[in-house]
Amino acid sequence: MTSQLKVAQTSDELLIAEFFQESVGKWRSERRYYTLPSGETKEMVSIITIRFLEAGCDELSKLAQMHGLPESVSLTCGAEVTWDTKSDTGKKESSGLTLFGALGNVLYRDRGFATPKPVTAEYHFPNPKTLCLRTEYNGSVFEEELKLIGSKYRTRQSIISRAGEQLMIGQYLEKRIESEE
């Protein structure tokens, strides 16, 4: 049983490394958020920059420390994501940076969607181009699907729930505007 688990984790780690590497570059993300049950919508545009992080780099070492992982444990790969978001009216909404690091089928993050504290997400791949994440904290569940479409597009969908009730759905179309090869 253990050997099957290790094979699955190795497969997940290879897939997440490929997914992160294929996502490297600058993206224009057009986002629409639906607040439930009212159906109120909010549209935003973000410029997202993704950088691949190799095992052993300083960023992944610091991320592992934030999560209290033993020094003997090394995150296999990761990504640094920066963003700059404006509303559809051009008003600046947010900007920042977050780190992701993978180990087995767990994605370690330096912050969550709605918290500045470190969080973890379980991830899996229904196919090599589609990454599914599930993050839980503070009584909320965040489910996200990211899909690579060719080399120039990504789609994303996020569903935020609390106590079994869906509160928000986010849908995103991301177009690559610059690759970093």
Side-chain angles (χ1 to χ4, degrees), residues 3-4 11 17 26 44 52 57 64 85 98 100 156 162 180:
S3 64
Q4 288 178 339
S11 174
K26 190 177 276 190
M44 292 190 260
F52 182 73
C57 72
T85 302
T98 192
F100 297 86
R156 291 171 49 196
R162 182 181 281 265
E180 294 183 13

Side-chain angles (χ1 to χ4, degrees), residues 26-69:
K26 190 177 276 190
W27 299 82
R28 176 185 166 86
S29 179
E30 296 177 9
R31 304 164 174 232
R32 177 175 281 168
Y33 294 98
Y34 300 91
T35 302
L36 304 174
S38 71
E40 179 183 326
T41 62
K42 185 173 187 176
E43 294 187 21
M44 292 190 260
V45 173
S46 297
I47 301 299
I48 299 171
T49 304
I50 301 171
R51 185 171 67 94
F52 182 73
L53 301 175
E54 300 213 17
C57 72
D58 288 344
E59 294 91 341
L60 290 182
S61 296
K62 289 176 188 169
L63 185 58
Q65 288 175 352
M66 289 175 85
H67 283 275
L69 297 175

Side-chain angles (χ1 to χ4, degrees), residues 142-180:
F142 303 83
E143 296 174 286
E144 190 166 14
E145 177 187 273
L146 296 91
K147 182 176 272 192
L148 292 166
I149 301 170
S151 63
K152 295 183 182 172
Y153 298 96
R154 294 183 352 158
T155 59
R156 291 171 49 196
Q157 179 163 284
S158 302
I159 301 171
I160 303 171
S161 306
R162 182 181 281 265
E165 184 177 334
Q166 292 74 30
L167 303 176
M168 182 175 285
I169 298 172
Q171 295 182 317
Y172 317 70
L173 173 62
E174 298 177 340
K175 181 178 181 182
R176 186 185 302 272
I177 54 178
E178 209 175 283
S179 62
E180 294 183 13

Side-chain angles (χ1 to χ4, degrees), residues 84-141:
D84 186 21
T85 302
K86 295 181 178 158
S87 70
D88 58 349
T89 62
K91 178 185 168 204
K92 185 169 179 118
E93 292 283 334
S94 69
S95 61
L97 177 147
T98 192
L99 299 174
F100 297 86
L103 184 62
N105 68 339
V106 176
L107 201 57
Y108 293 83
R109 298 179 60 170
D110 66 337
R111 59 183 291 154
F113 298 104
T115 180
K117 296 178 182 174
V119 298
T120 59
E122 290 184 9
Y123 74 89
H124 71 277
F125 285 88
N127 65 64
K129 300 293 184 189
T130 305
L131 170 62
C132 295
L133 304 169
R134 181 181 175 91
T135 310
E136 296 184 42
Y137 58 86
N138 297 339
S140 295
V141 176

